[in-house]
Amino acid sequence: MTKNILLKFAKKGINLSPDAYLKVMKSDNPINFASDLIVKLKSSDFKPVDLISVSGKTIDEITGNETLQSGDDTSESKKESPKKEDAIKPKSKLDTSKDKEKTSSSEGIIKMEDSEKIEDANVEFKRNQEKINVEYDFEVIQDSSNKSYTSGEIGDLIAYFQSRYEKLSKILKQRPDLKMTTKVADIEDGQTTLNLILMVKEIRSTKNGHRFVEFEDDTGSISILFSNKNEELFAEAEKLVKDEVVGVIANKDNDFVIANQLIYPGVSRIQEKEMDFGIVFLSDVHIGSLTFLEDAFQKFIDWINCEYGNEEQRKIAEDIKYLIIAGDIVDGIGVYPNQDKELSIKDIRQQYDEAARFLGNIRSDIKIIITPGNHDASRLAEPQPAVPEEYAKSLYKLNNVEFVSNPAVVSLDGINVLIYHGESFNELPMAIKGLSYEKNELMMEELLRKRHLAPIYGERTPLASELEDYLVIEHVPDIFHTGHIHINSYKKFNGIHMINSGTFQTQTDYQKIKNIEPTPAQVPVIHKGQYKLFRFID
């Protein structure tokens, strides 16, 4: 019955949020209720974007029923400060049995409150007034914008973890020690040496300070001891987090298994490619916020147009061919409680109009690539589809602007750039000793070692249980670009440029509470293979 109901909605272009799905399933007759609801939704004044995802509150309003059943918690108050709800994990994430239980999923609601409709802004764009004589070798290698669908059921969650396990297993099997591995269910009684590819299930410490890790694969579970007497191995084990996939080589003595080696998927050193052009990296511009540094951003626009800076700086600007914005180009609406008090523009569409006014006056021979962040008009759960045209019509009118998902991989004249806004940076410092916002390049390095952008499922980072895990780093990039934490950083790791592009917003009240010092108006550039940093504020 569940499959039939979900198909009914999917065929009509309607996606249900988890709380809406529960309301349908808890009705007296779910099939009839679903049919009636579809008619009402399609006959109402909804646009396609409004039907992804339909919330429980919308169902209550459509049906005139505030509470479908007692005990059904569908409160929308969490939209004030969106957080991922605790996900219900199956007993085994890789279990292939047909379990009919249901699980919550934070796939998706657009976090902005619906703003009033406005007339299309009549904005003159410098970009649209000039002919473009530049040829771009531009290709989108990875974009999940039109590939995202999940019902929030337990079967989807299992498929999601199977996809993660299979993708990372393929990477790990390229390591010599893991070309021949054993499944947990195939371990023989007399076998003493184990070569395994496993997913972390639980981590705990013993009273003597050792570390016990419960792992699993798609056949079963196994507990492995990491002894603190092996200091180097123990230090590596301290970096393990739940739900990541690693290789383990261990000794087995009856039912007791002791680790000898821990193998992360990792990245091999790449050969650096020649480039005769420049790429500019931005994120967290936060247009629409009272703390947006408009003057500094205008200086940046003037520089990229070769109208600001000294002779050397202008020559670098002349070589710029691409501009990447890794999320949070606007401040958004309703992202956190009382945000309206900190906004200079209180309409999401007008915020994007203002962004278009700035970007539309960048010279026309620069291609701009835009991904969403947690403040943008895209769903909160990752992977985030590209910012929809419904909210950013003015930006969509710009020539040579490309909208892609978060994360995304693009090829810029043969230079592969992995773009990720960086929501998982919120939890990595709490999970791994030695990581911090101030040293976010170390977090980027750790994600490359793990070959996953958000390995921990069900905690602070909202992840959608898609049928495929799009956050696995399947291909090693030439450049890894992130944002989110408002602190600029750079490091070269195994030939990969790792860049966090900082912000164009001064310190927020939240950052003051957390004692986070942003580095505003600092713009990183890769110019002909070399890292440069430009400052547009005194």
Side-chain angles (χ1 to χ4, degrees):
M1 181 176 72
T2 297
K3 182 179 179 181
N4 292 336
I5 288 174
L6 290 173
L7 284 173
K8 288 171 74 73
F9 284 97
K11 287 177 180 178
K12 297 297 182 179
I14 301 171
N15 186 16
L16 298 179
S17 66
D19 59 317
Y21 170 78
L22 289 175
K23 283 183 175 291
V24 174
M25 297 307 296
K26 288 185 178 182
S27 63
D28 293 335
N29 190 323
I31 292 179
N32 290 343
F33 185 86
S35 298
D36 292 340
L37 181 60
I38 288 170
V39 171
K40 291 177 180 178
L41 287 168
K42 298 299 285 187
S43 62
S44 299
D45 189 21
F46 287 112
K47 294 185 178 181
V49 70
D50 298 319
L51 301 179
I52 305 174
S53 292
V54 175
S55 68
K57 183 178 180 180
T58 298
I59 291 180
D60 286 337
E61 292 172 352
I62 286 288
T63 60
N65 182 18
E66 285 298 321
T67 305
L68 197 68
Q69 288 189 13
S70 60
D72 182 16
D73 181 12
T74 55
S75 170
E76 291 290 299
S77 62
K78 292 183 181 178
K79 283 190 178 180
E80 291 184 349
S81 181
K83 294 181 180 178
K84 183 180 181 300
E85 294 180 2
D86 291 335
I88 302 171
K89 296 187 184 180
K91 184 175 181 181
S92 171
K93 296 184 291 289
L94 301 172
D95 189 359
T96 57
S97 64
K98 295 181 179 179
D99 196 330
K100 299 298 183 182
E101 292 182 55
K102 302 178 181 66
T103 183
S104 66
S105 166
S106 42
E107 66 199 41
I109 308 169
I110 291 177
K111 291 181 345 80
M112 316 333 181
E113 297 171 354
D114 287 338
S115 55
E116 295 180 1
K117 295 181 180 178
I118 60 172
E119 297 295 326
D120 288 347
N122 185 18
V123 182
E124 291 293 332
F125 297 129
K126 182 176 181 179
R127 171 181 296 282
N128 288 7
Q129 295 172 353
E130 299 176 355
K131 290 185 178 180
I132 300 171
N133 298 317
V134 177
E135 290 187 5
Y136 303 100
D137 182 6
F138 172 78
E139 180 185 359
V140 178
I141 297 174
Q142 178 185 327
D143 184 346
S144 60
S145 294
N146 298 315
K147 302 175 182 178
S148 174
Y149 184 80
T150 176
S151 66
E153 289 195 297
I154 198 76
D156 289 357
L157 190 60
I158 292 171
Y160 171 81
F161 280 110
Q162 285 177 329
S163 170
R164 177 184 296 194
Y165 179 79
E166 289 167 4
K167 287 182 176 185
L168 290 168
S169 290
K170 184 178 179 181
I171 294 170
L172 283 161
K173 284 182 178 179
Q174 296 174 13
R175 302 289 293 269
D177 293 338
L178 297 173
K179 287 188 180 297
M180 299 295 292
T181 58
T182 304
K183 292 289 187 180
V184 170
D186 297 332
I187 297 173
E188 299 177 356
D189 290 340
Q191 192 170 350
T192 57
T193 301
L194 305 178
N195 291 35
L196 307 164
I197 295 177
L198 303 165
M199 179 179 286
V200 178
K201 189 174 182 180
E202 295 291 341
I203 304 170
R204 62 184 187 274
S205 297
T206 70
K207 63 180 181 180
N208 294 323
H210 305 299
R211 177 158 289 204
F212 250 120
V213 182
E214 185 178 359
F215 293 98
E216 63 181 329
D217 63 14
D218 51 353
T219 68
S221 300
I222 185 171
S223 292
I224 299 178
L225 176 71
F226 290 83
S227 172
N228 56 18
K229 294 180 181 179
N230 187 335
E231 294 181 2
E232 184 176 346
L233 178 60
F234 188 78
E236 287 296 299
E238 286 189 307
K239 297 178 182 178
L240 285 172
V241 298
K242 288 193 297 183
D243 306 321
E244 72 171 304
V245 178
V246 294
V248 180
I249 297 175
N251 287 339
K252 178 175 175 289
D253 184 6
N254 295 320
D255 293 329
F256 200 64
V257 182
I258 301 176
N260 284 334
Q261 188 177 354
L262 180 61
I263 303 172
Y264 286 93
V267 290
S268 300
R269 178 170 292 278
I270 63 169
Q271 184 174 356
E272 296 181 46
K273 300 173 182 175
E274 292 185 5
M275 58 183 293
D276 60 357
F277 59 96
I279 308 172
V280 172
F281 301 88
L282 296 182
S283 65
D284 302 275
V285 183
H286 289 279
I287 293 169
S289 168
L290 288 170
T291 52
F292 165 55
L293 293 167
E294 181 174 348
D295 291 345
F297 196 64
Q298 185 57 57
K299 285 182 182 178
F300 161 73
I301 299 292
D302 292 340
W303 167 76
I304 205 169
N305 286 335
C306 308
E307 298 168 355
Y308 178 81
N310 59 36
E311 184 178 357
E312 181 184 356
Q313 291 165 345
R314 293 188 188 196
K315 283 184 178 180
I316 292 174
E318 289 175 1
D319 293 328
I320 300 302
K321 193 172 182 180
Y322 298 95
L323 165 61
I324 301 177
I325 304 175
D328 287 0
I329 188 172
V330 299
D331 204 52
I333 306 291
V335 179
Y336 54 86
N338 301 315
Q339 184 191 13
D340 60 307
K341 297 176 182 178
E342 300 178 13
L343 293 175
S344 62
I345 303 174
K346 299 185 180 183
D347 183 292
I348 185 65
R349 293 175 177 88
Q350 290 178 358
Q351 289 181 9
Y352 282 113
D353 286 343
E354 185 69 5
R357 287 186 181 91
F358 281 108
L359 300 186
N361 284 308
I362 290 176
R363 67 179 210 258
S364 59
D365 59 342
I366 294 177
K367 183 178 283 293
I368 301 173
I369 300 101
I370 299 175
T371 72
N374 58 301
H375 281 250
D376 281 297
S378 184
R379 74 178 187 185
L380 182 63
E382 297 175 354
Q384 292 179 282
V387 175
E389 185 175 359
E390 168 69 14
Y391 294 95
K393 286 183 179 179
S394 295
L395 281 172
Y396 271 83
K397 289 180 180 179
L398 295 176
N399 297 333
N400 292 334
V401 170
E402 305 284 344
F403 292 88
V404 293
S405 64
N406 170 43
V409 180
V410 296
S411 174
L412 310 180
D413 287 35
I415 303 298
N416 291 343
V417 183
L418 169 59
I419 313 166
Y420 175 56
H421 181 62
E423 187 80 12
S424 68
F425 291 158
N426 289 342
E427 63 187 344
L428 284 175
M430 295 183 291
I432 301 175
K433 184 171 63 176
L435 297 185
S436 67
Y437 290 145
E438 291 74 20
K439 295 288 185 180
N440 57 74
E441 70 276 9
L442 299 181
M443 291 196 278
M444 297 174 71
E445 182 178 329
E446 196 62 35
L447 295 181
L448 288 172
R449 277 167 34 91
K450 297 178 185 302
R451 295 292 288 270
H452 201 284
L453 295 170
I456 305 171
Y457 187 91
E459 294 186 13
R460 294 175 65 91
T461 306
L463 300 175
S465 54
E466 302 288 352
L467 301 181
E468 181 179 349
D469 188 349
Y470 295 107
L471 277 77
V472 173
I473 305 173
E474 295 187 74
H475 306 287
V476 179
D478 300 299
I479 300 172
F480 182 20
H481 176 207
T482 64
H484 188 56
I485 53 180
H486 295 204
I487 298 175
N488 186 281
S489 67
Y490 173 79
K491 183 180 180 181
K492 205 165 187 180
F493 173 63
N494 284 352
I496 302 167
H497 298 279
M498 301 188 306
I499 298 169
N500 190 297
S501 47
T503 183
F504 266 90
Q505 184 181 39
T506 57
Q507 189 180 45
T508 64
D509 288 341
Y510 174 81
Q511 290 172 334
K512 290 176 184 176
I513 294 171
K514 296 291 184 179
N515 198 28
I516 297 171
E517 291 286 346
T519 57
Q522 297 184 13
V523 177
V525 177
I526 298 295
H527 177 247
K528 297 184 178 181
Q530 299 298 313
Y531 173 77
K532 308 284 185 182
L533 184 66
F534 292 82
R535 291 176 172 84
F536 296 95
I537 192 170
D538 295 332

